[in-house]
Amino acid sequence: MTAAASSAPPRADILLVPIALGDRSYDIHIGSGLLADPASWAGLPASADALIVSNTTVAPLYAEALAAPMRQRHRRVLQLALPDGEEHKTAAVLEQVYDTLLGAGCDRKTVLYALGGGVVGDMTGFAAACYMRGVPFVQVPTTLLAQVDSSVGGKTAINHPLGKNMIGAFYQPARVLCDLDLLATLPAREFSAGLAEVIKYGPIADVEFLAWIEANLDALMARDRAALAHAVKRSCEIKAWVVGQDEREGGLRAILNFGHTFGHAIETGLGYGAWLHGEAVGCGMVLAAELSARLGLVDAALVPRLQALCRRAGLPVTAPPLSALPIERWMALMRVDKKAEGGEIRFVVIDGLGRAAMRPAPDTLVADVIRAHAAPG
Amino acid sequence: MTAAASSAPPRADILLVPIALGDRSYDIHIGSGLLADPASWAGLPASADALIVSNTTVAPLYAEALAAPMRQRHRRVLQLALPDGEEHKTAAVLEQVYDTLLGAGCDRKTVLYALGGGVVGDMTGFAAACYMRGVPFVQVPTTLLAQVDSSVGGKTAINHPLGKNMIGAFYQPARVLCDLDLLATLPAREFSAGLAEVIKYGPIADVEFLAWIEANLDALMARDRAALAHAVKRSCEIKAWVVGQDEREGGLRAILNFGHTFGHAIETGLGYGAWLHGEAVGCGMVLAAELSARLGLVDAALVPRLQALCRRAGLPVTAPPLSALPIERWMALMRVDKKAEGGEIRFVVIDGLGRAAMRPAPDTLVADVIRAHAAPG
């Protein structure tokens, strides 16, 4: 980034994470007041037309704050608010984006802006990948989960009645703006769910970051901007490092699913919506740590350590009671998870603190782990 | 291609056109009896599941001939016949492909085979681009137009009520099998329409090929396999050379639209379906040659030369009467064509025989060209 096009030097408090992907490289900007900062926009395509895709919850809060600086760069700034929620991540709702673009006569240089959480980001990115065979898009994630999870990896998709994220594309944004001010209105439960994905990066890749989160969790929970900036930056850096070695999801990228095999079983077993994804991942990490310890791969002290951290972050650390989710149901759900091969369930385990690996585990051992952490009843 | 995996040396009568696109490189095989030739399949992914996407016209003729060798390579060979015709190139019909794949539990290694013309190829390619964010696909084009046009370029798409090919992706096949035997059942009118796109490559890029087509047109019209093989091969080679310099459609690729600006006006002006796309392109080339000559860019002898060739190929060489398509309507239709910039219509012209360029032209000159070639009435 050069300051040549700006009227002031770059702000020192804005962190940049460069994502190196050849001619699809882009930067993640992390900080406060990004939308009003000219440096956030420098170098992006200044097409005639632009479309802000948001949802009915976020648009009333932030669409105008995004539209104002965009009007300096685009002749027409269109807006579309999709219905809010995972159940609307469908082909029918995606069609609304195309209808809006074509109804307004938007050409193949139009820039799309995704203003919202993961659902808006996934749908807008997929629409950008397909509209006239590809137009640029910019991510402006408004949840902590989307800032640390959707900023890196280029995954876009919609759901199909027969499965989540079944129809999609790998498509990289032109830029990601993680404006921490946008997190101010995020409900506490969603904020905690986002923290689960931040915490995840410690045990799988960075012991020092785990210690830093422990030391700064109170500041994070208070949504201190400087603490948040570091947490988002370090999460994006680690994810970029993993994805950079495995862009199309061959092997290593699977370690990002630490806690997710157990977590998906909870989400699906209780019905989507009962637990937030991040909540299920929080509890899932505790179970995966326990499994790792019982396999002799990591010191058992990791289990209470993660429990304490997740509890402080407002995340559930006890699995649903067996009456609500019996062992056989857990097993069946984890077996259909895409990491199961030949009937044997493979887990992301901690193989020495700060390092993750994929390992199968005997059903009996897995069942013991679940029993040890299920709530009574 | 090595013969190591086959039980016999490669057949001498099968022509290969390698398409060099880095890790997305693939080969076009051109010849007779390709479906039954083991070399056609060597090196392709042998996944558990495969899906043949065809249409209700082609499937009864050739789906089994394709499915038989595929059963040697895939545990399950699913089949889906879409409704035939451009009007079915829609999001709703695309959804049938996803429903079939997910209903059968096909995983992310499933290989899709497109058995049909341009519509089937475009839809299957787009479905492959998006299913689980990308699965391999193989093109088996069954029309001459699809063999010379869809084999190279990686364009996939569906139509939207507000525009053709508006939703799509650039996505390369793993292989293209141009089996000339499949052209035996192609109606004469569609065969001629395909020849228009073959003839096109002469004036824009290869004077010798133009002379070769003139010398071999009778053999082509008789669907002689050797003549067809050369025509398809040379067309694919020239298109690959053009596209290779302009994969994402910046500039040079536009020369492939020789005859298309006039042609699209005929297609749209008379209503889609009245003239086949190739028929409109055939007549459009005559008009574009006339325009090139009047601009002083090429010898006027090209006009009767192209007229004679197109006439022999069974293509119309006279534009619709002005009563059916008045000059003002022509102009309006060509102005909305995507090559119009700032109100001035840009045409692909022949700039010295065997070379094409993009040029604007005065409206009065264009009108004169149309009047000179319109049928009376």
Side-chain angles (χ1 to χ4, degrees):
Chain A
M1 159 93 43
T2 70
S6 306
S7 53
R11 284 169 45 190
D13 62 333
I14 292 178
L15 308 180
L16 294 185
V17 179
I19 306 295
L21 290 166
D23 61 357
R24 292 165 296 118
S25 297
Y26 65 93
D27 287 334
I28 305 172
H29 295 221
I30 302 160
S32 295
L34 288 190
L35 299 188
D37 181 8
S40 300
W41 309 101
L44 287 176
S47 60
D49 292 335
L51 171 65
I52 299 174
V53 181
S54 189
N55 67 38
T56 50
T57 306
V58 172
L61 297 171
Y62 300 117
E64 187 48 36
L66 175 58
M70 284 172 58
R71 290 197 193 97
Q72 311 288 317
R73 310 175 42 77
H74 303 284
R75 207 160 54 212
R76 271 201 306 181
V77 176
L78 305 167
Q79 300 192 28
L80 175 63
L82 304 177
D84 188 12
E86 177 82 24
E87 70 272 28
H88 299 293
K89 207 170 103 172
T90 63
V93 175
L94 179 69
E95 204 68 16
Q96 292 183 24
V97 182
Y98 301 137
D99 293 346
T100 302
L101 289 165
L102 287 165
C106 292
D107 67 14
R108 67 174 75 178
K109 293 184 172 172
T110 305
V111 182
L112 269 56
Y113 294 76
L115 176 71
V119 171
V120 165
D122 279 7
M123 297 190 74
T124 309
F126 187 43
C130 298
Y131 186 64
M132 297 196 174
R133 301 195 183 96
V135 295
F137 87 110
V138 173
Q139 294 257 31
V140 187
T142 60
T143 68
L144 180 57
L145 177 60
Q147 292 191 349
V148 299
D149 199 48
S150 316
S151 296
V152 182
K155 283 191 183 180
T156 72
I158 56 171
N159 297 332
H160 182 279
L162 296 176
K164 289 180 71 170
N165 295 320
M166 287 294 132
I167 315 299
F170 286 95
Y171 196 71
Q172 305 296 339
R175 186 162 298 163
V176 179
L177 301 179
C178 295
D179 191 325
L180 306 168
D181 299 344
L182 306 182
L183 303 182
T185 48
L186 193 65
R189 205 176 148 196
E190 283 192 52
F191 185 82
S192 290
L195 278 179
E197 299 278 357
V198 173
I199 291 169
K200 174 185 83 178
Y201 290 105
I204 67 168
D206 188 343
V207 182
E208 281 180 36
F209 185 47
L210 180 59
W212 180 91
I213 299 169
E214 290 173 317
N216 292 274
L217 195 69
D218 294 343
L220 289 170
M221 291 299 281
R223 307 195 191 182
D224 173 85
R225 300 291 197 274
L228 280 174
H230 180 73
V232 172
K233 172 174 182 278
R234 190 64 192 141
S235 298
C236 290
E237 281 174 348
I238 296 171
K239 183 164 183 186
W241 169 76
V242 172
V243 171
Q245 296 169 71
D246 181 22
E247 194 186 342
R248 305 282 302 196
E249 246 188 348
L252 179 67
R253 191 163 173 162
I255 70 164
L256 298 173
N257 289 327
F258 176 58
H260 284 58
T261 301
F262 288 109
H264 285 159
I266 297 174
E267 274 185 278
T268 314
L270 300 187
Y272 282 102
W275 287 37
L276 294 180
H277 173 73
E279 291 172 335
V281 167
C283 179
M285 288 193 290
V286 172
L287 272 67
E290 176 82 43
L291 180 67
S292 308
R294 294 201 185 197
L295 287 166
L297 300 171
V298 73
D299 193 287
L302 175 62
V303 181
R305 189 176 172 185
L306 270 182
Q307 278 176 314
L309 186 54
C310 287
R311 195 178 291 115
R312 285 175 63 204
L315 293 164
V317 294
T318 306
L322 296 177
S323 56
L325 197 59
I327 294 289
E328 314 75 57
R329 180 94 173 108
W330 273 94
M331 291 308 200
L333 288 166
M334 293 194 291
R335 226 178 289 282
V336 300
D337 195 273
K338 58 179 168 282
K339 286 173 291 300
E341 277 176 22
E344 195 169 50
I345 312 170
R346 291 166 60 82
F347 292 87
V348 182
V349 292
I350 303 304
D351 187 12
L353 192 55
R355 214 177 64 155
M358 294 291 294
R359 277 279 301 263
D363 281 6
T364 51
L365 180 59
V366 175
D368 285 348
V369 166
I370 294 166
R371 278 191 208 97
H373 288 273
Chain B
M1 158 97 39
T2 70
S6 306
S7 52
R11 284 169 45 192
D13 62 334
I14 293 179
L15 308 180
L16 294 184
V17 179
I19 305 295
L21 291 166
D23 60 358
R24 292 165 295 119
S25 297
Y26 64 94
D27 287 334
I28 305 173
H29 295 220
I30 303 160
S32 294
L34 288 190
L35 300 188
D37 180 8
S40 300
W41 309 101
L44 286 176
S47 60
D49 291 334
L51 171 65
I52 299 174
V53 181
S54 189
N55 66 39
T56 50
T57 306
V58 171
L61 297 170
Y62 300 117
E64 187 49 35
L66 175 59
M70 283 172 58
R71 290 197 193 96
Q72 311 287 317
R73 311 175 41 77
H74 303 284
R75 206 160 55 211
R76 269 201 307 181
V77 175
L78 306 166
Q79 301 191 28
L80 174 64
L82 304 177
D84 188 11
E86 177 83 24
E87 69 273 26
H88 300 293
K89 209 170 102 171
T90 62
V93 175
L94 180 70
E95 204 68 18
Q96 291 184 24
V97 182
Y98 300 137
D99 292 348
T100 302
L101 289 165
L102 287 164
C106 293
D107 67 14
R108 67 173 73 179
K109 292 184 173 171
T110 305
V111 182
L112 269 56
Y113 294 76
L115 176 71
V119 171
V120 165
D122 278 7
M123 296 190 76
T124 310
F126 188 44
C130 298
Y131 187 63
M132 297 195 174
R133 301 197 183 93
V135 296
F137 87 111
V138 173
Q139 293 257 31
V140 187
T142 61
T143 68
L144 180 56
L145 177 60
Q147 290 191 350
V148 300
D149 199 49
S150 317
S151 295
V152 182
K155 283 190 182 181
T156 72
I158 55 171
N159 298 332
H160 182 279
L162 296 177
K164 290 181 69 172
N165 296 319
M166 286 295 133
I167 314 300
F170 286 95
Y171 196 70
Q172 306 295 339
R175 187 162 297 164
V176 180
L177 301 179
C178 294
D179 192 324
L180 306 168
D181 299 344
L182 306 182
L183 303 183
T185 48
L186 192 65
R189 205 177 149 195
E190 284 193 50
F191 185 82
S192 291
L195 278 180
E197 300 277 359
V198 173
I199 292 169
K200 173 185 83 178
Y201 290 106
I204 66 167
D206 188 343
V207 182
E208 282 180 34
F209 185 47
L210 180 59
W212 181 92
I213 299 170
E214 289 173 319
N216 291 274
L217 194 68
D218 294 343
L220 289 170
M221 290 299 281
R223 307 194 191 184
D224 172 84
R225 300 291 197 276
L228 280 174
H230 180 73
V232 171
K233 171 173 181 277
R234 191 64 192 142
S235 298
C236 289
E237 281 173 348
I238 296 172
K239 183 165 183 186
W241 168 77
V242 172
V243 170
Q245 296 170 71
D246 182 22
E247 194 186 343
R248 307 282 301 193
E249 246 189 348
L252 181 65
R253 191 162 173 162
I255 71 165
L256 298 172
N257 289 326
F258 177 57
H260 284 58
T261 301
F262 287 109
H264 284 160
I266 297 174
E267 275 186 277
T268 314
L270 301 187
Y272 281 103
W275 287 37
L276 295 179
H277 173 73
E279 292 173 335
V281 167
C283 179
M285 288 193 290
V286 172
L287 273 67
E290 176 81 44
L291 179 68
S292 307
R294 296 203 183 196
L295 287 166
L297 300 171
V298 73
D299 193 286
L302 177 62
V303 181
R305 188 175 174 186
L306 270 182
Q307 277 176 316
L309 186 56
C310 285
R311 195 177 292 116
R312 287 174 64 202
L315 293 164
V317 294
T318 305
L322 297 177
S323 57
L325 198 58
I327 294 290
E328 313 75 56
R329 179 94 172 109
W330 274 93
M331 292 307 199
L333 288 165
M334 293 194 291
R335 226 178 289 285
V336 299
D337 194 274
K338 57 179 170 285
K339 286 173 291 300
E341 277 176 22
E344 197 169 48
I345 311 170
R346 291 166 61 81
F347 292 87
V348 182
V349 292
I350 304 304
D351 187 12
L353 192 54
R355 213 177 65 155
M358 295 290 295
R359 277 278 301 265
D363 282 6
T364 52
L365 181 59
V366 174
D368 285 348
V369 166
I370 294 167
R371 277 191 208 96
H373 288 273

